[in-house]
Amino acid sequence: MTAPISQLIRFAMVGAVNTGTYYVCYLAFLTQLPYLAAHVLAFCLSMVGSFFLNAYFTYRIRPTWRKFLLFPLTNAANFVITTCGVYALVDLAHFSHTWAPLVAAAVAVPITFVVSRTIMLRPDNRQASESLGESVAQTTPTA
C-alpha cells in the first residue's frame, strides 16, 4: 500500500475518533450553550487531540511547536465548511441541530486531508523543529 493511501486510511480512523470526541463534547456543551457556541468550543478542543493523533499515528512524525501552531490552518477549511454547513442545515434547511454537524463534517474530510498532509509533512528548519517535549526540558533551569 502506498504511503498516501495508508495515511488516508489512518487519517480517516483518526477522523472517526476526532468526530466522536467532537460530537460528545458538542452534545455536552449543547446542554448549556447555543448550538454554534457548542460547535466552536467542541471543535477547538477536539482539534488539539487531532493534532497529536495525526502526528503520531497518521503521519508518524514527531510533533513540533511549529506544526502545532500551523495545525489550525489544516482545520480552517474544515471549520468554515462545517460551521457554514451546520448553520445552513439547521437554520435554512430546518435539519436537526443534533445531526447537522455529522453531515457537515463528512463534506469537509477530503479538503482537510489534503491541507493536513501538506502541513504535517512539510520539513521544519532546524530551529523550528524543536519537539514539544524537548522545548520544556531545555527551558527548565538546572541547579
Side-chain angles (χ1 to χ4, degrees):
M1 194 175 306
T2 65
I5 298 298
S6 63
Q7 288 171 353
L8 179 60
I9 292 167
R10 289 191 304 265
F11 183 81
M13 293 168 67
V14 168
V17 169
N18 190 50
T19 300
T21 302
Y22 158 81
Y23 195 57
V24 167
C25 290
Y26 172 76
L27 291 176
F29 295 141
L30 195 56
T31 64
Q32 301 295 317
L33 300 171
Y35 75 90
L36 279 178
H39 164 70
V40 171
L41 189 54
F43 190 92
C44 290
L45 289 175
S46 66
M47 188 171 30
V48 173
S50 178
F51 169 75
F52 287 104
L53 286 172
N54 276 301
Y56 288 118
F57 181 69
T58 302
Y59 303 111
R60 300 176 187 213
I61 60 168
R62 187 178 66 193
T64 64
W65 280 108
R66 184 174 193 278
K67 285 181 177 24
F68 181 75
L69 295 174
L70 287 173
F71 190 73
L73 295 177
T74 69
N75 286 288
N78 183 303
F79 182 78
V80 169
I81 292 166
T82 58
T83 301
C84 291
V86 166
Y87 171 77
L89 287 168
V90 173
D91 281 3
L92 304 178
H94 306 290
F95 198 79
S96 167
H97 66 270
T98 303
W99 298 105
L102 298 177
V103 174
V107 172
V109 168
I111 298 164
T112 305
F113 173 71
V114 171
V115 177
S116 171
R117 189 170 194 278
T118 301
I119 287 179
M120 296 296 277
L121 296 180
R122 179 181 176 178
D124 286 327
N125 63 32
R126 186 178 177 337
Q127 187 176 17
S129 67
E130 185 176 288
S131 74
L132 292 172
E134 290 174 357
S135 66
V136 173
Q138 290 175 356
T139 59
T140 306
T142 55

